[in-house]
Amino acid sequence: MKRFFKPIEKEGSAKKPSLAPSKQGGEKGEEDIKKEPLKFVTWNANSLLLRVKNNWPQFSDFISNLDPDIIALQEVRMPAAGLKGAPKNPRELKDDTSSSREEKQILLRALSSPPFENYHVWWSLADSKYAGTALLVKKCLQPVKVSFSLDKTVSKHEPDGRVILAEFETVCILNTYAPNNGWKEEENSFQRRRKWDKRLLDFVVQSSDKPLIWCGDLNVSHEDIDVTHPEFFSAAKMNGYVPPNKEDWGQPGFTLAERKRFGAILKEGRLVDAYRYLHKEKDMERGFSWSGNPIGKYRGKRMRIDYFIVSDKLKDRIAACEMHGQGIELEGFYGSDHCPVSLHLSEECKAAN
């Protein structure tokens, strides 16, 4: 969605810290290793560095209280490592200038403090302070494989770092930051989103036998119940422009074309919207994950665009799925324009021998 925050200012110099994660499972004995994650949080941070600088104590308390096994972050907005003009390394934070080293140190210091010290971190970053994702996995969990593209290639990253896929023994976790649909029939707007949705459809149809948990900022509100003001969002325009195809009319994320494609992904992939599975009625106070600018025509206009989508075979294990922000004043958003969303699965019941 459209952002309303100031760009990150340059910082001073600092000593270069190490980003390499500690050895998987090295901190735990064999008896402490968990095979399956059960508690999850997803959050579009709208610049992780800004959240660390301005909102970290509150967000840290939230994570400490919820104690998730996995934290999926989107729009981390930290640039990938690599010199200017050279190929970038999307797995590493940029640190080739004094300002980038300082920013990296600030971020790593925050992630090495409680409760985040209990997690390993995987990054998929854009070339600049744009988009990007991160996946924090508790050290008592050991992914079988972590990849960074919808074709499950470990070495390849999606453009702008929009995908992290972690495979565990019994389940796969897909963290995505979907590209915004935009307002026009252009390569970086409607066309880019159509291609993304087609690739997501192919991914879920061809997915492995392991159940899937797909989370993140999916940048779509599926039904009227998923926005506060359906008429407002359906009629929204940018500078008076009206797309030639009526299905492309309206607020990005609430056009009929996007909503139809999202519905097809759920149907063809045999997937369930975890929040809507538990919450059938519209909740005007806590039922939305994104909020417009609190000043101007978008004040009080909210959408549910952050999700946990699970394979149908997991639906009976959905114990809770909640949005943790509320109200026009964005309580529980921790400085972002998105609030965290959580999912709790019950343990799998083993059939008796």
Side-chain angles (χ1 to χ4, degrees):
M1 312 309 299
K2 187 177 179 181
R3 309 305 177 194
F4 304 97
F5 297 85
K6 295 179 181 179
I8 301 168
E9 296 179 357
K10 290 186 177 181
E11 302 290 338
S13 62
K15 188 179 292 185
K16 178 180 176 181
S18 172
L19 186 65
S22 53
K23 188 177 180 180
Q24 294 285 340
E27 299 82 355
K28 299 285 183 179
E30 194 68 32
E31 69 278 2
D32 297 319
I33 299 299
K34 294 176 64 175
K35 291 187 176 182
E36 182 181 55
L38 297 175
K39 296 174 71 175
F40 311 82
V41 165
T42 182
W43 186 40
N44 179 318
N46 192 11
S47 173
L48 188 57
L49 184 63
L50 280 181
R51 304 291 75 82
V52 167
K53 290 180 175 180
N54 300 319
N55 313 95
W56 209 239
Q58 297 86 352
F59 184 66
S60 297
D61 288 344
F62 167 75
I63 293 298
S64 293
N65 291 332
L66 201 64
D67 192 29
D69 296 318
I70 290 180
I71 305 169
L73 300 176
Q74 306 86 44
E75 205 173 357
V76 295
R77 285 170 50 184
M78 292 295 292
L83 297 173
K84 186 175 181 180
K88 302 297 188 291
N89 180 0
R91 289 193 188 189
E92 300 280 348
L93 295 163
K94 180 180 175 66
D95 64 356
D96 57 15
T97 65
S98 60
S99 61
S100 64
R101 284 192 292 272
E102 174 70 13
E103 291 174 349
K104 177 178 177 178
Q105 187 177 48
I106 291 171
L107 201 56
L108 294 184
R109 189 183 300 121
L111 292 175
S112 63
S113 301
F116 303 98
E117 63 183 350
N118 298 320
Y119 296 83
H120 287 308
V121 184
W122 281 266
W123 303 96
S124 188
L125 304 171
D127 291 352
S128 61
K129 289 181 177 179
Y130 172 72
T133 53
L135 192 71
L136 284 68
V137 178
K138 268 193 175 177
K139 292 175 180 177
C140 60
L141 287 158
Q142 293 186 349
V144 175
K145 177 183 177 183
V146 178
S147 51
F148 306 91
S149 68
L150 292 175
D151 59 13
K152 304 180 184 180
T153 303
V154 174
S155 59
K156 177 184 175 182
H157 288 245
E158 292 290 335
D160 303 323
R162 294 185 179 275
V163 168
I164 301 180
L165 175 65
E167 179 182 342
F168 295 86
E169 287 190 26
T170 60
V171 70
C172 291
I173 313 299
L174 176 65
N175 174 24
T176 66
Y177 176 35
N180 189 290
N181 190 56
W183 297 88
K184 295 186 177 182
E185 183 62 68
E186 296 176 344
E187 184 177 350
N188 287 328
S189 293
F190 295 166
Q191 296 173 28
R192 177 178 67 163
R193 183 55 187 258
R194 288 190 199 110
K195 291 176 182 177
W196 170 268
D197 289 343
K198 174 63 167 61
R199 294 188 63 217
L200 249 304
L201 177 61
D202 291 342
F203 174 87
V204 299
V205 169
Q206 299 169 10
S207 194
S208 70
D209 293 334
K210 293 180 181 179
L212 176 68
I213 299 172
W214 172 26
C215 67
D217 176 357
L218 308 191
N219 255 323
V220 63
S221 294
H222 189 202
E223 305 288 353
D224 284 4
I225 192 176
D226 297 316
V227 299
T228 53
H229 299 77
E231 297 81 7
F232 172 87
F233 288 115
S234 294
K237 301 176 184 178
M238 174 65 78
N239 299 324
Y241 174 77
V242 178
N245 184 344
K246 191 171 183 178
E247 290 195 350
D248 293 321
W249 291 8
Q251 177 77 24
F254 197 62
T255 65
L256 187 57
E258 292 171 275
R259 295 162 64 188
K260 282 185 174 181
R261 293 196 299 266
F262 185 62
I265 292 171
L266 298 185
K267 181 179 179 181
E268 297 299 322
R270 297 180 180 179
L271 300 169
V272 174
D273 176 349
Y275 177 82
R276 193 55 69 206
Y277 182 74
L278 297 181
H279 305 272
K280 308 297 186 185
E281 303 298 325
K282 191 168 188 174
D283 183 346
M284 289 296 291
E285 187 66 14
R286 304 185 66 98
F288 311 98
S289 62
W290 174 86
S291 184
N293 192 341
I295 300 174
K297 68 178 183 179
Y298 275 86
R299 177 174 174 81
K301 308 298 193 302
R302 289 167 286 166
M303 307 174 73
R304 186 171 74 94
I305 59 175
D306 302 87
Y307 291 79
F308 278 99
I309 305 294
V310 305
S311 295
D312 182 77
K313 64 183 70 174
L314 290 176
K315 68 181 181 182
D316 292 333
R317 294 178 57 194
I318 302 173
C321 187
E322 303 294 338
M323 276 168 280
H324 294 271
Q326 61 180 324
I328 294 176
E329 303 305 325
L330 309 189
E331 178 185 347
F333 280 64
Y334 306 106
S336 178
D337 50 354
H338 296 246
C339 72
V341 182
S342 66
L343 172 70
H344 184 190
L345 296 180
S346 61
E347 293 190 20
E348 184 176 14
C349 294
K350 301 294 184 181
N353 294 327

